[in-house]
Amino acid sequence: MKPHWAERLRHAMHNQADALGNLLVEGFHYLALFAIGGAVAWAAGHTFLGMFERGQATIDDILLLFIYLELGAMVGIYFKTNHMPVRFLIYVAITALTRLLIGDIQHNHKPNMGIVMVCGAILLLAIATLVVRYASTKFPSPPADVPGRIKAGDSASLGDRS
């Protein structure tokens, strides 16, 4: 049998190490979120200024701005809920493939199998979005009890009606 003082000391040390580890992990999360958010804002600003310098906006530029918008929304939602919205990653992929498709059609003007494959990939991603949305309504994740954070299931205030 262990002495009671040693057991209490072990619990205290474990609690202190756990608290320090949680502090370091959350600190890293916040630092990384701010860095990613800053990089997205910088890239979007750079793209926007490039459109002004050229004096025109192409569909590629506009779709790229939509990609930056979705990435920024992902950072914001992760910051508020501490959950990664998988659907936003799928939206970014769909937008990127649409940008690729439009660029390919604008430059080549020739129908080929590559166009069919990109359209098939977009269709698969759209179906994946449907599956994720259905699964999230049928099997919702339990709400997070973190003070100051929005619960994972409470996305109405974020403009997401899934």
Side-chain angles (χ1 to χ4, degrees):
M1 279 190 19
K2 295 181 185 177
H4 291 294
W5 65 269
E7 190 65 28
R8 283 194 306 269
L9 183 62
R10 186 184 72 79
H11 281 294
M13 186 174 65
H14 175 74
N15 289 340
Q16 291 296 323
D18 194 34
L20 179 62
N22 287 338
L23 174 70
L24 292 174
V25 167
E26 284 191 30
F28 175 75
H29 273 133
Y30 288 128
L31 181 66
L33 282 174
F34 282 117
I36 292 168
V40 168
W42 176 76
H46 183 69
T47 300
F48 202 69
L49 289 176
M51 290 178 355
F52 274 121
E53 287 176 1
R54 287 192 314 270
Q56 67 177 0
T58 65
I59 191 73
D60 283 343
D61 294 329
I62 294 168
L63 288 172
L64 187 57
L65 287 175
F66 270 109
I67 290 172
Y68 292 140
L69 176 68
E70 293 297 330
L71 291 173
M74 278 178 35
V75 169
I77 289 172
Y78 188 79
F79 185 75
K80 289 180 179 181
T81 65
N82 208 21
H83 287 80
M84 178 59 70
V86 176
R87 283 194 337 259
F88 280 77
L89 292 171
I90 297 171
Y91 297 155
V92 168
I94 289 172
T95 307
L97 286 173
T98 303
R99 186 171 181 254
L100 175 72
L101 181 67
I102 290 172
D104 186 41
I105 291 172
Q106 280 181 342
H107 298 298
N108 293 333
H109 299 293
K110 294 180 183 176
N112 58 23
M113 202 58 189
I115 292 174
V116 174
M117 286 191 283
V118 171
C119 290
I122 292 171
L123 178 63
L124 284 175
L125 288 169
I127 292 169
T129 303
L130 180 66
V131 168
V132 168
R133 287 184 69 116
Y134 176 77
S136 67
T137 57
K138 279 301 234 190
F139 310 104
S141 60
D145 291 334
V146 180
R149 292 202 185 225
I150 297 172
K151 292 181 181 174
D154 184 21
S155 59
S157 63
L158 301 172
D160 184 20
R161 305 248 187 248
S162 48

